[in-house]
Amino acid sequence: MKNKKGFAIILSAIMVIVAVVLVIMMMSSGQKEIYYGYMKNSTTAEKVISEKDHEVEKNVKLPAESGFSPKHGDFVKLVKSEGDESFSNMKVVKHDDVPHGLMMKIHDMGGMKGM
């Protein structure tokens, strides 16, 4: 009986510690900002558009990262933590993976109506 109580207390303590660690991890991860862009060359995005507020930035330099080697004309998805200046995840995506509204901004089609 004494052995079972000890095991239950230890198991409960471990579960509390795991729960606290998970809560801290979730709170520290913060919000992610997602951007889509069109590459001018292998290191510069001609246009980068924020998914959240549709703001356009031009000629954005991207850091060199292993596994990320875009070419001229590639579409890219860029992710960074809110308030952070550097991108935490960068990957080349297909044309169809870019949301329609953002694609219209990339191609300067915002003024077209009735499509």
Side-chain angles (χ1 to χ4, degrees), residues 37-55:
Y38 181 76
M39 297 302 292
K40 180 187 274 188
N41 56 43
S42 63
T43 60
T44 306
E46 184 176 326
K47 290 182 183 178
V48 174
I49 295 107
S50 168
E51 186 177 53
K52 182 171 76 174
D53 55 16
H54 292 218
E55 285 187 21

Side-chain angles (χ1 to χ4, degrees), residues 4-112:
K4 289 182 182 180
K5 279 187 177 180
F7 179 72
I9 291 172
I10 290 172
L11 187 60
S12 297
I14 290 172
M15 289 173 53
V16 168
I17 290 170
V18 169
V20 168
V21 168
L22 287 174
V23 167
I24 290 171
M25 285 175 46
M26 288 187 332
M27 292 182 75
S28 66
S29 67
Q31 296 283 359
K32 302 287 184 195
E33 295 181 14
I34 298 174
Y35 297 83
Y36 288 92
Y38 181 76
M39 297 302 292
K40 180 187 274 188
N41 56 43
S42 63
T43 60
T44 306
E46 184 176 326
K47 290 182 183 178
V48 174
I49 295 107
S50 168
E51 186 177 53
K52 182 171 76 174
D53 55 16
H54 292 218
E55 285 187 21
V56 177
E57 294 179 49
K58 294 185 179 185
N59 297 319
V60 176
K61 293 280 185 191
L62 300 177
E65 186 178 284
S66 64
F68 179 68
S69 53
K71 297 180 267 322
H72 169 73
D74 282 346
F75 292 95
V76 293
K77 179 180 180 180
L78 311 166
V79 179
K80 68 178 177 178
S81 295
E82 196 169 286
D84 197 4
E85 291 300 316
S86 61
F87 295 106
S88 60
N89 188 5
M90 302 182 296
K91 68 179 183 177
V92 176
V93 295
K94 296 177 186 171
H95 180 277
D96 293 340
D97 294 336
V98 180
H100 179 70
L102 300 181
M103 185 58 72
M104 289 182 67
K105 282 202 174 257
I106 288 173
H107 292 304
D108 286 328
M109 297 170 68
M112 296 183 76

